[in-house]
Amino acid sequence: MLIDWFTVAAQVVNFLILMWLLKRFLYQPVLDAIDAREERLVKQMQAAQDAQSAAAAERNKYERLNTELAQQQAGLLAQATAEVEATRLQLLEAARNETANLRSQWQDALLKEQQNLTQGIANRTRQEVFAITRKTLADLADTGLEARMVAVFISRLQTLGMAEKVQLSPPAGQTDCQVLIRSAFLLPPNEQKALGQAVRNLLPIQPTIHFELEPDLLSGIELISNGHKLEWSIAEYLAALEASIGELIRTALNPSPQPLSLKGRGAEENDPPVPPRPLRERGLGGEGVFDHV
Amino acid sequence: MHLSSDDLVFWEYGWVKLNLTIITTWLLMVVMGGGSWLLTRKLSNAIHIPRWQHVLEVVVLGIKSQIEEVGLAQSRRYLPFIGTLFLFVVVANLAAIIPGYEPPTGSLSTSTALAICVFIAVPLFGIREIGVLGYLKSYLHPTPVMLPFNIVSEISRTLALAIRLFGNIMSGGMIIAILLTITPFFFPVVMHALHLLTGMVQAYIFSILATVYIAAATRGEGA
């Protein structure tokens, strides 16, 4: 018989034993090792994903910080640019104001210096003119300048118009009249006496006459009565002279370029300004000025 | 010439005897159990594992995936039984490459023992999954008329398992033995290689049929 039942039973037992052996030493250890490795891989994958997520979060954080930093930098740069521009404009305005002040001060100083120079030239000119005149009169006419001036002034008083006489006279009913005669030079007694007599002849009442020495009168004579002043000096000439000298100085200090003109003599707009008339052209004759005080 | 390795008895006392089938089976058990113990002593659960461990894992996971492909989702529950069936038959058949070796699977007693194991295991797994009533109802599937046919089918398929494995392995051994006496050089080698392939195929067929029977029983679909 092909089947031995004892062998069958023994093989069944053998199979069951082999099954237990393989389960104990093969299947279970191998499956446990696989499970442990899979668990470890899962943990490592999870850790890697966590690290990747953390890295992504860090990257996003630093990108956001970089963006904010760039914005802050741009803002600060714009603010600094605006502040620099404002400061520049402020400094420019201050420099402009400073320049204007300096220019104004310089112009004032220049004007003052010009005035001083003009005044000095006028004074020197006056002194020279009077010295020349005085010497010329003394040498050629045997007379003094002051005497001639007093004589001429008396002559002018005698030829005053009626209206001027009324203005110099005190109001009707007033018994007192103060007359002040100021001169740039000390009047000799004879001239004072002659001048006083001329004034008394001019006024209807007997005035009280005072003589004063006033060097600023430019060798002239002033008569002040009833609030009116009658001046007889060369101040007008000297003023013209000062104006001419001042214009000359201004022209020398501020030369205005004259463009070349191809026009003929008819181009009047390009003609140079007419210089002030020289003193000698006006003559040496005195000129009376009647003014209210 | 022995038709079966059962006939070569080394020791006998009454009805108890130690024949070549049992001795060879014990040797295979020692080799398989001892080898498993040696190989799985130092298993590594690191990322990088030794190549021999890869081989073990491929074998175990291959059997496990085959069980799952048949339809048994709880493959770990059936792995020891089906895996042992497959590995025992494979090792027993492949060992035929050793000269003088008589495969125990070439014994009808061994194949009958394995078939009886399947015959007992199928209702046990079925009852464990769907209960006694559920398993008994599977014999009425699809209609109660099919009850006798299902019972006959249960017995006949067990016989078929035993006879199929016995016939293939025994015939292979017989053909090789006959060819060795007729044309001792080339053809026996070819037939031996073919016999190894037949042994692998038979192991696969035996284990996969057992898996199909268990799967049918656990679903209550009858035999």
Side-chain angles (χ1 to χ4, degrees), chain A residues 4 7 11 25 27 35 37, chain B residues 17 19 40 46 57 76 110:
Chain A
D4 179 23
T7 304
Q11 290 295 75
F25 296 114
Y27 308 128
D35 291 341
R37 188 165 71 251
Chain B
K17 52 187 168 187
N19 52 26
T40 58
E57 291 183 0
R76 291 197 177 204
T110 303

Side-chain angles (χ1 to χ4, degrees), chain B:
Chain B
M1 179 179 178
H2 303 288
L3 190 60
S4 171
S5 57
D6 295 349
D7 298 335
L8 188 58
V9 178
F10 295 101
W11 179 79
E12 187 172 7
Y13 183 77
W15 49 273
V16 177
K17 52 187 168 187
L18 289 179
N19 52 26
L20 182 60
T21 302
I22 296 175
I23 296 297
T24 308
T25 302
W26 284 354
L27 288 176
L28 291 175
M29 287 170 62
V30 170
V31 171
M32 293 174 69
S36 299
W37 174 72
L38 286 175
L39 290 176
T40 58
R41 274 188 314 170
K42 296 179 181 178
L43 286 178
S44 172
N45 58 0
I47 303 299
H48 298 284
I49 58 176
R51 295 180 180 178
W52 55 264
Q53 186 175 343
H54 268 298
V55 175
L56 286 181
E57 291 183 0
V58 165
V59 171
V60 173
L61 291 179
I63 297 171
K64 187 169 174 287
S65 66
Q66 284 293 322
I67 295 171
E68 291 171 352
E69 285 182 6
V70 170
L72 293 171
Q74 301 291 331
S75 57
R76 291 197 177 204
R77 185 177 298 172
Y78 311 103
L79 179 63
F81 181 74
I82 296 171
T84 305
L85 277 178
F86 176 75
L87 290 179
F88 176 70
V89 177
V90 163
V91 173
N93 292 343
L94 291 184
I97 199 170
I98 300 171
Y101 172 79
E102 287 283 340
T105 48
S107 162
L108 185 57
S109 302
T110 303
S111 57
T112 302
L114 297 179
I116 289 172
C117 288
V118 174
F119 181 77
I120 296 171
V122 168
L124 287 179
F125 285 124
I127 291 169
R128 183 178 177 184
E129 283 294 324
I130 59 177
V132 178
L133 289 178
Y135 177 74
L136 292 178
K137 281 182 181 176
S138 66
Y139 283 94
L140 305 177
H141 186 82
T143 63
V145 179
M146 295 296 292
L147 175 62
F149 299 99
N150 284 333
I151 293 173
V152 170
S153 172
E154 190 79 14
I155 297 170
S156 63
R157 75 185 185 188
T158 304
L159 286 176
L161 270 180
I163 300 300
R164 182 187 301 111
L165 180 61
F166 162 72
N168 278 284
I169 303 305
M170 185 271 292
S171 63
M174 291 293 289
I175 289 173
I176 291 172
I178 293 171
L179 283 177
L180 276 175
T181 59
I182 299 174
T183 54
F185 293 107
F186 181 70
F187 282 106
V189 176
V190 177
M191 290 307 296
H192 209 91
L194 183 62
H195 180 60
L196 294 177
L197 178 63
T198 305
M200 284 291 296
V201 172
Q202 287 305 314
Y204 179 76
I205 290 173
F206 196 96
S207 57
I208 207 72
L209 282 175
T211 309
V212 170
Y213 299 155
I214 293 171
T218 53
R219 292 176 188 171
E221 295 176 354

Side-chain angles (χ1 to χ4, degrees), chain A:
Chain A
M1 187 175 180
L2 291 176
I3 297 177
D4 179 23
W5 291 107
F6 173 78
T7 304
V8 171
Q11 290 295 75
V12 169
V13 174
N14 287 337
F15 177 78
L16 292 177
I17 292 171
L18 181 62
M19 188 173 68
W20 179 83
L21 285 175
L22 293 185
K23 180 182 179 183
R24 172 71 178 78
F25 296 114
L26 181 62
Y27 308 128
Q28 199 63 41
V30 171
L31 290 176
D32 288 344
I34 292 172
D35 291 341
R37 188 165 71 251
E38 284 183 352
E39 185 179 1
R40 184 171 179 174
L41 286 174
V42 168
K43 285 182 180 177
Q44 288 186 353
M45 289 294 292
Q46 186 64 39
Q49 286 182 353
D50 293 342
Q52 195 172 7
S53 301
E58 287 291 323
R59 185 192 62 192
N60 293 333
K61 175 185 173 184
Y62 282 109
E63 284 181 353
R64 180 171 52 79
L65 288 177
N66 279 336
T67 305
E68 291 179 358
L69 186 62
Q71 291 176 351
Q72 288 180 357
Q73 188 177 4
L76 289 175
L77 186 61
Q79 183 180 0
T81 304
E83 289 179 355
V84 166
E85 181 65 20
T87 305
R88 188 183 71 83
L89 292 175
Q90 187 177 358
L91 290 176
L92 195 62
E93 184 65 24
R96 191 177 290 119
N97 292 335
E98 183 74 16
T99 304
N101 289 334
L102 288 176
R103 181 181 297 163
S104 176
Q105 291 176 2
W106 176 75
Q107 285 179 346
D108 291 344
L110 187 64
L111 182 61
K112 190 173 182 180
E113 186 179 356
Q114 178 186 352
Q115 289 174 349
N116 291 336
L117 182 62
T118 305
Q119 186 70 30
I121 292 174
N123 290 336
R124 188 66 181 271
T125 303
R126 183 192 63 187
Q127 293 173 2
E128 291 296 327
V129 165
F130 278 115
I132 293 171
T133 305
R134 186 175 293 109
K135 185 173 178 60
T136 303
L137 287 176
D139 292 346
L140 299 182
D142 193 18
T143 183
L145 174 63
E146 291 80 7
R148 287 305 308 160
M149 289 180 66
V150 169
V152 172
F153 187 74
I154 291 171
S155 174
R156 293 293 182 184
L157 285 178
Q158 289 172 353
T159 57
L160 279 177
M162 201 59 195
E164 293 167 339
K165 287 180 180 178
V166 170
Q167 288 179 347
L168 288 175
S169 299
Q174 184 174 343
T175 58
D176 186 20
C177 181
Q178 298 290 333
V179 174
L180 176 62
I181 297 175
R182 301 165 67 185
S183 59
F185 47 87
L186 185 62
L187 291 173
N190 293 333
E191 273 74 15
Q192 286 187 0
K193 186 177 179 181
L195 197 55
Q197 187 59 43
V199 170
R200 288 188 189 91
N201 293 334
L202 181 66
L203 301 176
I205 61 174
Q206 291 300 312
T208 302
I209 301 173
H210 302 281
F211 289 94
E212 283 187 2
L213 180 62
E214 182 60 49
D216 292 337
L217 285 180
L218 304 177
S219 294
I221 300 174
E222 255 184 14
L223 187 148
I224 299 172
S225 174
N226 193 26
H228 290 80
K229 182 175 73 175
L230 185 62
E231 186 181 21
W232 193 252
S233 70
I234 62 169
E236 184 75 15
Y237 303 150
L238 291 177
L241 179 62
E242 287 180 6
S244 296
I245 293 171
E247 184 66 25
L248 186 62
I249 292 174
R250 280 192 295 272
T251 305
L253 291 178
N254 301 315
S256 57
Q258 296 295 328
L260 291 176
S261 176
L262 297 177
K263 294 179 180 179
R265 295 287 297 170
E268 294 178 344
E269 62 272 13
N270 290 329
D271 286 346
V274 178
R277 192 172 53 174
L279 184 62
R280 66 175 180 271
E281 292 181 2
R282 295 180 181 178
L284 293 174
E287 185 176 352
V289 176
F290 192 75
D291 194 7
H292 295 282
V293 177

